[in-house]
Amino acid sequence: MRIETSFTPIPEIATELLAVLAVDTQAANGRNAKPQPTLLVSDPAVLAAAAGVLATGEYKGGANETILLHAPAGVAARRLLIVGLGKQAKATVHSVREAAGTAIRFAKPRGIRKIALALPDNFSQSLPHAAVARAAVEGAFVGDFDPDTYRSERRDQSIEALAIAAPAEAGHNIIESAVAEGAIIGESQNFARALINEPGNKLTPTILGQHAAMMAQKLGLGWEVHSTEMLRELKMGAFWSVAQGSAEPPALIVLRYEPEGVQDGPILGLVGKGITFDTGGISIKPSDNMEKMKYDMAGGAAMIGVMRAIALLKPRVRVIAIVCAAENMPSGTAQKPGDVQTAMPLAPEKPGKTIEVINTDAEGRLVLADGLTYARRLGATHLIDAATLTGAISVALGKIIAGAFANDDDAYARFEAALSVSGEKFWRMPLGEEYADLIKSDIADIKNTGGRYGGAITAAEFLHTFAEDTPWIHLDIAGLAWVEETRPFIAKGPSGVAVRSILEWVRSFSSGAQA
Ligand code: BES
Ligand code: MN
Ligand code: ZN
């Protein structure tokens, strides 16, 4: 999708479809009051073209509600699409993100290839122009993605060109750079989604490593992709215990971003779970829905997507990403319940922590244990991990909000601030001694499951054992990494959740950025 910015008066934009936004301005507590759809553009020609349909009451301006007008009078565009943001009082920058996606997904199946989206010109206190422009472009890219890569006759027909139409009085440079930023972020989220979408046979750990390396090479990031030998050398016994059952070798993917002239300050360690297929191993999963376990590398893909955006946006902070990629398989060489593994030590001369593997299906925490330790060894001062770690997080929070855990309030405060920019929903979950007690083992230092209750929290405490006192955030995205049903603004399939939030968290550390 090609993106351009336009400051042309919107009635003069010749395009296949012009999308404008509307809010419902009905008085907040008017219980039986009728919805009052109000366009967020003040151009008289557009208002006149829409007046008739808005007067009928058939369109309410609800969130992502659309209505299409053909050959609108007085407007050069062939079609006028009105997209709702919902109640005015609740409309946010994120509502615009979704509405832009809705406009794109409205156009795609109708053979429309060129569209323009008018930014609000009369609602700017709560919807600042630059933030809205950026979010609209992000939402447009997210909406443009469809997962039918392997259909012989692909139904997915991407939008060719999107023009972001900004009011003439908006600062041109500010809007143009916001649009460019939005494109980088939206494309990086889609880069992650494309990886997540790949089936296990097409995306082995080795191939995931190749994709990461190609991206890094192209964009000037440092990179290394290691395999079995390096795991042995580093004594990554926890990571290897998952990989050992598969014919596919593991990949330890390391991506480095070292901006010129930044020699001190924090080093951020981004650690992603990259299980390219999770059968459960010897503790094998039931076959119902097992095909979904190709997305068990969504956390790792998110980190690769974040690094892509970082390479292009160039924040002034050093970042290392580590993706622990393996296939979790049952076989004659697979680890068994009861096996004891020794995790990577923090220093070569120190002993590694020992882990009793109760359930081979709790493999994500095993690979992340060594990933977190390795990030600390490479000098990470702050850690963030993302993983489709537990079914239990969906029991706790549904498939509406993702889980977040942190051992450090300052690091988490930055993450919360990042959420207000990304529009993503995470809820901070507790950690605590009493949960940590549930993963004590009779034979080893810890065990890899903590019983039936509080499963997302005991999983987080397992990771905490390896993050120790390094400021650390853990994101359990198991419930949100896959969109179960198509929505107006996003296709069903991989969501790319966490990319935007982690990126914003990283940018908050950029020297010169507001803390
Ligand atoms: N990859 C799964 C978690 C998962 C479940 C992700 C559903 C996405 C959707 C993880 O490796 C796993 O199997 N976790 C187990 C842990 C249990 C054995 C302690 C789980 O959640 O059941
Ligand atoms: Mn598992
Ligand atoms: Zn898993």
Side-chain angles (χ1 to χ4, degrees):
M1 186 166 60
R2 215 170 59 241
I3 304 281
E4 55 211 55
T5 311
S6 164
F7 298 94
T8 309
I10 51 177
E12 292 168 27
I13 299 175
T15 178
E16 294 176 39
L17 181 147
L18 170 67
V20 297
L21 305 172
V23 287
D24 176 3
T25 52
Q26 171 213 305
N29 49 7
R31 236 183 171 214
N32 298 315
K34 272 201 263 163
Q36 196 90 88
T38 306
L39 295 195
L40 293 182
V41 292
S42 50
D43 182 85
V46 175
L47 292 178
V53 71
L54 294 186
T56 63
E58 70 194 73
Y59 179 75
K60 300 178 174 59
N64 301 301
E65 184 188 350
T66 52
I67 194 158
L68 180 71
L69 307 176
H70 277 264
V75 175
R78 303 232 314 259
R79 305 171 186 83
L80 181 67
L81 178 73
I82 306 174
V83 187
L85 302 182
K87 294 249 163 59
Q88 181 175 35
K90 290 190 184 160
T92 61
V93 170
H94 185 61
S95 322
V96 178
R97 189 180 278 112
E98 289 188 352
T102 299
I104 295 285
R105 294 198 66 73
F106 183 94
K108 281 187 83 173
R110 291 173 171 82
I112 298 165
R113 294 291 159 258
K114 292 195 171 74
I115 91 168
L117 173 72
L119 299 183
D121 64 10
N122 56 0
F123 196 56
S124 55
Q125 304 93 318
S126 52
L127 298 177
H129 285 139
V132 164
R134 173 186 148 178
V137 175
E138 290 171 4
F141 274 101
V142 169
D144 197 40
F145 180 96
D146 269 291
D148 59 343
T149 341
Y150 289 101
R151 271 204 188 118
S152 314
E153 286 186 47
R154 246 193 122 175
R155 276 190 227 149
D156 174 23
Q157 302 243 34
S158 265
I159 298 294
E160 277 166 28
L162 166 68
I164 296 292
E169 69 273 15
H172 290 208
N173 291 342
I174 294 176
I175 299 292
E176 273 159 12
S177 63
V179 164
E181 206 174 274
I184 289 169
I185 297 167
E187 286 179 306
S188 297
Q189 184 172 343
N190 284 353
F191 185 83
R193 291 165 84 193
L195 291 173
I196 298 163
N197 196 42
E198 289 293 293
N201 65 327
K202 305 276 187 195
L203 191 94
T204 61
T206 307
I207 297 171
L208 180 61
Q210 287 165 355
H211 282 289
M214 278 187 300
M215 180 277 289
Q217 186 67 34
K218 194 167 132 201
L219 301 183
L221 295 169
W223 64 270
E224 297 149 50
V225 180
H226 304 288
S227 191
T228 310
E229 251 175 59
M230 185 67 158
L231 265 60
R232 196 152 295 150
E233 207 168 294
L234 293 170
K235 302 197 173 119
M236 290 184 155
F239 185 178
W240 173 249
S241 78
V242 177
Q244 72 180 54
S246 174
E248 289 293 339
L252 171 62
I253 304 167
V254 183
L255 304 177
R256 293 169 196 265
Y257 170 71
E258 284 160 353
E260 236 173 85
V262 181
Q263 261 92 21
D264 46 24
I267 300 179
L268 308 180
L270 279 44
V271 183
K273 170 176 175 182
I275 300 298
T276 57
F277 198 83
D278 181 12
T279 65
I282 295 298
S283 315
I284 197 163
K285 288 180 182 294
S287 48
D288 266 11
N289 290 317
M290 202 208 271
E291 75 284 355
K292 288 279 176 61
M293 282 301 113
K294 69 174 188 173
Y295 78 73
D296 213 18
M297 34 60 75
M303 295 316 187
I304 298 170
V306 170
M307 291 307 281
R308 181 189 182 278
I310 288 174
L312 294 165
L313 294 171
K314 305 189 182 354
R316 295 186 51 75
V317 59
R318 292 172 291 174
V319 188
I320 303 173
I322 291 164
V323 178
C324 299
E327 203 181 55
N328 188 21
M329 296 288 277
S331 76
T333 63
Q335 71 176 330
K336 303 164 290 294
D339 284 1
V340 173
Q341 309 293 359
T342 306
M344 182 186 181
L346 188 56
E349 67 281 3
K350 281 194 188 160
K353 295 194 164 101
T354 56
I355 304 164
E356 181 188 10
V357 176
I358 301 293
N359 189 318
T360 66
D361 197 10
E363 85 296 342
R365 62 199 76 180
L366 294 173
V367 304
L368 288 172
D370 286 345
L372 290 164
T373 301
Y374 192 42
R376 295 176 73 201
R377 267 237 208 144
L378 295 178
T381 58
H382 297 72
L383 297 164
I384 190 163
D385 76 68
T388 46
L389 201 65
T390 68
I393 197 65
S394 308
V395 175
L397 297 173
K399 288 177 169 283
I400 314 287
I401 308 183
F405 301 79
N407 64 353
D408 183 89
D409 291 343
D410 290 338
Y412 194 76
R414 288 174 181 274
F415 188 72
E416 211 156 50
L419 295 179
S420 70
V421 178
S422 72
E424 295 185 321
K425 288 189 269 188
F426 282 82
W427 189 261
R428 187 171 179 181
M429 300 278 293
L431 293 165
E433 262 326 295
E434 289 151 297
Y435 292 103
D437 287 345
L438 298 174
I439 52 169
K440 284 186 174 154
S441 164
D442 297 331
I443 185 173
D445 295 333
I446 49 170
K447 55 186 180 180
N448 78 332
T449 62
R452 196 167 150 161
Y453 300 108
I457 309 174
T458 49
E461 277 297 352
F462 184 95
L463 301 180
H464 192 186
T465 314
F466 297 91
E468 295 186 308
D469 50 8
T470 302
W472 155 78
I473 297 175
H474 157 56
L475 305 177
D476 192 339
I477 58 171
L480 274 87
W482 197 260
V483 180
E484 304 285 343
E485 286 304 330
T486 291
R487 305 182 65 188
F489 47 88
I490 191 167
K492 77 175 179 191
S495 68
V497 68
V499 170
R500 296 200 308 266
S501 302
I502 297 167
L503 173 66
E504 223 51 54
W505 182 79
V506 168
R507 292 174 90 193
S508 81
F509 287 91
S510 178
S511 53
Q514 285 172 299

